[in-house]
């Protein structure tokens, strides 16, 4: 499953089939369906990446990091610190 660029609507928000979400440009593994959970945002939500270098992060604003593909730099959105399903977890 390619991680979409969110143009024309998000098709993977309610998709919970087993699999791996990859960068739409590079094909690099980003997130596993095992780390995906239901969230009220209009995009899919994940608690962790597959690889330590799956994403690159830079500070964007308090409580949020800008996230991009760790291989090609394709923009993926944000990591929201302490906004995951469990206390202390982040949400991608």
């Amino acid at each position: 499953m390619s991680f979409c660029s969110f143009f024309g609507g998000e098709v993977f928000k309610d998709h919970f089939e087993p699999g791996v979400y990859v960068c739409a440009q590079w094909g690099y593994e980003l997130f596993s369906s095992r780390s995906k959970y239901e969230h009220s945002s209009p995009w899919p939500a994940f608690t962790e990446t597959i690889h330590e270098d799956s994403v690159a992060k830079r500070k964007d604003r308090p409580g949020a990091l800008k996230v991009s593909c760790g291989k090609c730099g394709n923009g993926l959105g944000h990591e929201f610190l302490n906004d995951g399903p469990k206390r202390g977890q982040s949400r991608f």
Side-chain angles (χ1 to χ4, degrees):
M1 294 166 263
S2 291
F3 203 84
C4 86
S5 58
F6 304 117
F7 293 111
E10 171 47 49
V11 297
F12 291 114
K13 179 190 183 326
D14 298 317
H15 185 273
F16 286 92
E17 296 296 319
V20 173
Y21 292 80
V22 301
C23 173
Q25 288 185 8
W26 184 260
Y28 191 55
E29 296 175 327
L30 302 171
F31 305 101
S32 167
S33 59
R34 290 180 302 219
S35 72
K36 189 171 187 223
Y37 67 99
E38 289 190 49
H39 190 270
S40 61
S41 74
W43 300 284
F46 303 89
T47 56
E48 62 188 9
T49 61
I50 290 181
H51 306 289
E52 190 173 309
D53 68 345
S54 288
V55 299
K57 306 174 189 180
R58 66 177 172 81
K59 190 167 183 141
D60 186 45
R61 58 182 184 258
L65 305 173
K66 197 76 154 163
V67 177
S68 58
C69 173
K71 293 295 179 184
C72 73
N74 183 34
L76 301 173
H78 290 86
E79 175 182 1
F80 296 98
L81 306 175
N82 299 310
D83 190 39
K86 295 180 183 172
R87 184 180 177 107
Q89 277 187 322
S90 291
R91 171 176 57 94
F92 290 88

